[in-house]
Amino acid sequence: MLIRGRLFAPAPRGNVLIEVSGDRVTAIEPVASDAPAPAGALGGPDSVITPGFIDVQVNGAFGQDFSDPSADVALVSRGLAAFGVTAYVATVITSPLERYPAVLDHLAAASSGPDGARLLGVHLEGPFLSPRQPGTHTPTWLREPSIELVNGWLDRAPVRIMTLAPELPGALELVRALVARDVVVSLGHTDASWDQAAAAASAGARMGTHLFNGMRHFDHHHPSVVNFLLSSDLAVGVIADGVHVDRRVLDLVSRMASPDRLVVVTDALAGLGMPEGDFRLAGVELVSDGVVGRRRDGTLSGSLLPLDHAISDLITAGMDPEQAFRAVTVNPARVLGLDGSMGSVAVGRTADLVILDPGWRSSVTIVGGQVAYAGIR
Ligand code: ZN
């Protein structure tokens, strides 16, 4: 397979011809900017090539909700490839305790097909979250941290990330227990002060979940978890649909957290890739307006903007393309400890690639050297 385009690896590498053999990138040759694509090659002089996008917060899509043990995971994996996503972490939001075993067993057994995005594991968002910052999480299902409960869940499924509120009783002990089992701890749905957030970082927390949303606000007299995340060396997850965070604020965050700490997530819901209207999240009815999902009372619940659209919008609004691409490739790969195998394009690496059209949207997605999506949307 040959691919012609302008490469962001994610650092800009200019015009290239990439050769893929089997599941690997086997050559990257510079070419003239006006060099046409060889016969049979994918892409062309107007195309942009990037590493495959990695989304660490996907609650579901295409009518499927990962908090439901009957979700069709393969359907989601195939569908996400259309948005440039080559790997993702299935996110389970706060659910009744009795539902966790079936949900985790289901996700542990689900293997994405060869024609879809890779399922990298599970992101548990809750139930150890602040009742003061529940967002769309059902308050009566929230719990105080329990290492015993978590150990049972970790034995069932490959949990990669856990979002928790560090100010809850027993939270720091849980952070240490999770870190010892190679789970990334992310601070979210939290009313923490700067000091409480800093204590969690000292205990091993590595990330913040959807900065600003579900967090005590930025305060210049009494610095909060938001202030800490912006000032620290932790990764910062943001929902980049322009609704969860105003684009002007996102621009400020990107200046503070780029190049290495910014992680753009979709926080996608079952309504992603579906018509506007009603759908469900952990059994709760939501409404889609095509960009975000909300509870009936108006509470923001997650996003419905495809990841490649979010990246396209960021670049069109003025973000440096390399910074935007880093936020969905090498940065999330590093958070997961997978930057040695994914998140960048290099000879010898697995060929997880996206070809973008001149509008920065995905036109071809390649997973493991196989075309997982090719088309015009
Ligand atoms: Zn959330």
Coordinates of all heavy atoms in Angstrom, one line a residue, residues 41-74:
A41 N -2.2 4.5 -5.5 CA -1.9 5.0 -4.1 C -3.1 5.6 -3.5 O -4.0 6.1 -4.2 CB -0.7 6.0 -4.2
L42 N -3.2 5.7 -2.2 CA -4.2 6.4 -1.5 C -3.7 7.8 -1.3 O -2.5 8.1 -1.2 CB -4.5 5.8 -0.1 CG -5.1 4.3 -0.2 CD1 -5.0 3.7 1.3 CD2 -6.5 4.3 -0.7
G43 N -4.7 8.8 -1.1 CA -4.3 10.2 -0.9 C -3.9 10.9 -2.2 O -4.2 10.4 -3.3
G44 N -3.2 12.0 -2.0 CA -2.7 12.8 -3.1 C -2.1 14.1 -2.6 O -1.9 14.2 -1.4
P45 N -1.7 15.0 -3.5 CA -1.0 16.2 -3.1 C -1.7 17.0 -2.1 O -1.2 17.8 -1.3 CB -0.7 16.9 -4.4 CG -0.8 15.8 -5.5 CD -1.8 14.8 -5.0
D46 N -3.1 17.0 -2.2 CA -3.9 17.8 -1.3 C -4.2 17.1 0.0 O -4.9 17.7 0.9 CB -5.3 18.1 -2.0 CG -5.1 19.1 -3.1 OD1 -4.1 19.8 -3.2 OD2 -6.0 19.1 -4.0
S47 N -3.8 15.9 0.2 CA -4.1 15.1 1.4 C -3.2 15.4 2.6 O -2.0 15.8 2.3 CB -4.1 13.6 1.1 OG -5.0 13.3 0.1
V48 N -3.7 15.2 3.8 CA -2.8 15.3 5.0 C -2.8 13.9 5.6 O -3.9 13.3 5.7 CB -3.4 16.4 5.9 CG1 -2.7 16.2 7.3 CG2 -3.1 17.8 5.4
I49 N -1.7 13.4 6.0 CA -1.6 12.1 6.7 C -1.2 12.4 8.2 O -0.2 13.1 8.4 CB -0.5 11.3 6.0 CG1 -0.7 11.2 4.5 CG2 -0.5 9.9 6.7 CD1 0.4 10.6 3.7
T50 N -1.9 11.7 9.1 CA -1.6 11.8 10.5 C -1.6 10.5 11.1 O -2.1 9.5 10.6 CB -2.6 12.7 11.3 OG1 -3.8 12.0 11.4 CG2 -2.8 14.0 10.5
P51 N -1.0 10.3 12.3 CA -1.3 9.1 13.1 C -2.8 8.9 13.3 O -3.5 9.9 13.4 CB -0.5 9.3 14.4 CG 0.4 10.5 14.2 CD -0.2 11.3 13.1
G52 N -3.2 7.7 13.5 CA -4.6 7.4 13.8 C -5.0 8.1 15.1 O -4.2 8.3 16.1
F53 N -6.2 8.6 15.2 CA -6.7 9.3 16.4 C -7.0 8.3 17.5 O -7.5 7.3 17.3 CB -7.9 10.2 16.1 CG -7.7 11.3 15.1 CD1 -8.8 11.9 14.5 CD2 -6.4 11.7 14.7 CE1 -8.6 12.9 13.6 CE2 -6.2 12.7 13.7 CZ -7.3 13.3 13.2
I54 N -6.7 8.8 18.7 CA -6.9 7.9 19.9 C -7.9 8.7 20.8 O -7.5 9.9 21.2 CB -5.6 7.6 20.7 CG1 -4.6 6.9 19.7 CG2 -5.9 6.8 21.9 CD1 -3.2 6.9 20.2
D55 N -9.0 8.2 21.2 CA -10.0 8.8 22.0 C -10.2 8.1 23.3 O -10.6 6.9 23.3 CB -11.4 8.9 21.2 CG -12.4 9.8 21.9 OD1 -12.2 10.2 23.0 OD2 -13.4 10.1 21.2
V56 N -9.8 8.7 24.4 CA -9.7 8.0 25.7 C -11.1 8.1 26.5 O -11.2 7.7 27.6 CB -8.6 8.5 26.6 CG1 -7.2 8.2 25.9 CG2 -8.7 9.9 27.0
Q57 N -12.1 8.8 25.8 CA -13.4 8.9 26.5 C -14.5 8.8 25.6 O -15.0 9.8 25.0 CB -13.4 10.3 27.3 CG -14.5 10.3 28.3 CD -14.4 11.4 29.3 OE1 -13.5 12.3 29.2 NE2 -15.4 11.5 30.2
V58 N -14.9 7.5 25.4 CA -16.0 7.2 24.5 C -17.1 6.4 25.2 O -16.9 5.3 25.6 CB -15.6 6.4 23.2 CG1 -16.7 6.1 22.3 CG2 -14.5 7.1 22.5
N59 N -18.2 7.0 25.5 CA -19.3 6.4 26.3 C -20.1 5.5 25.4 O -20.8 4.6 25.9 CB -20.2 7.4 26.9 CG -19.5 8.4 27.8 OD1 -19.1 8.0 28.9 ND2 -19.3 9.6 27.3
G60 N -20.0 5.7 24.1 CA -20.8 4.9 23.1 C -20.9 5.7 21.9 O -20.3 6.8 21.7
A61 N -21.6 5.1 20.9 CA -21.9 5.8 19.6 C -22.8 4.9 18.8 O -23.0 3.7 19.2 CB -20.6 6.0 18.8
F62 N -23.4 5.4 17.8 CA -24.2 4.6 16.9 C -25.3 3.8 17.6 O -25.6 2.7 17.3 CB -23.3 3.7 16.0 CG -22.2 4.4 15.3 CD1 -20.9 4.4 15.8 CD2 -22.5 5.2 14.2 CE1 -19.9 5.1 15.2 CE2 -21.5 5.9 13.6 CZ -20.2 5.9 14.1
G63 N -25.9 4.5 18.6 CA -27.0 3.9 19.3 C -26.6 2.9 20.4 O -27.4 2.4 21.1
Q64 N -25.3 2.7 20.6 CA -24.8 1.8 21.6 C -24.2 2.5 22.8 O -23.4 3.5 22.6 CB -23.7 0.9 20.9 CG -24.1 0.3 19.6 CD -25.3 -0.6 19.7 OE1 -25.4 -1.5 20.6 NE2 -26.3 -0.4 18.8
D65 N -24.5 2.0 24.0 CA -24.0 2.7 25.2 C -23.2 1.7 26.0 O -23.7 0.6 26.3 CB -25.3 3.1 26.0 CG -24.9 3.7 27.4 OD1 -23.7 3.9 27.6 OD2 -25.8 3.9 28.2
F66 N -21.9 2.0 26.2 CA -21.0 1.0 26.9 C -21.4 0.7 28.3 O -20.9 -0.2 28.9 CB -19.6 1.5 26.8 CG -19.0 1.5 25.4 CD1 -18.3 2.6 24.9 CD2 -19.3 0.4 24.6 CE1 -17.8 2.5 23.6 CE2 -18.8 0.4 23.3 CZ -18.0 1.5 22.8
S67 N -22.3 1.5 28.9 CA -22.8 1.2 30.3 C -23.9 0.2 30.2 O -24.5 -0.1 31.2 CB -23.3 2.5 31.0 OG -22.2 3.4 31.0
D68 N -24.2 -0.3 29.0 CA -25.2 -1.3 28.8 C -24.5 -2.6 28.4 O -23.8 -2.6 27.4 CB -26.2 -0.8 27.7 CG -27.3 -1.8 27.3 OD1 -27.1 -3.0 27.6 OD2 -28.2 -1.4 26.7
P69 N -24.8 -3.7 29.1 CA -24.0 -5.0 28.8 C -24.4 -5.6 27.5 O -23.8 -6.6 27.1 CB -24.4 -5.9 30.0 CG -25.6 -5.3 30.6 CD -25.6 -3.8 30.3
S70 N -25.4 -5.1 26.8 CA -25.7 -5.6 25.5 C -25.2 -4.7 24.3 O -25.5 -5.0 23.2 CB -27.2 -5.8 25.4 OG -27.9 -4.6 25.3
A71 N -24.3 -3.8 24.6 CA -23.8 -2.9 23.6 C -23.1 -3.7 22.5 O -22.3 -4.6 22.8 CB -22.9 -1.8 24.2
D72 N -23.3 -3.3 21.2 CA -22.6 -3.9 20.1 C -21.3 -3.2 19.9 O -21.2 -2.2 19.2 CB -23.5 -3.8 18.9 CG -22.9 -4.6 17.7 OD1 -21.6 -4.8 17.7 OD2 -23.6 -4.9 16.7
V73 N -20.2 -3.7 20.6 CA -18.9 -3.0 20.6 C -18.3 -3.0 19.2 O -17.7 -2.0 18.8 CB -18.0 -3.7 21.6 CG1 -16.6 -3.0 21.6 CG2 -18.6 -3.7 23.0
A74 N -18.5 -4.1 18.5 CA -17.8 -4.1 17.1 C -18.5 -3.1 16.2 O -17.8 -2.5 15.4 CB -18.0 -5.5 16.5

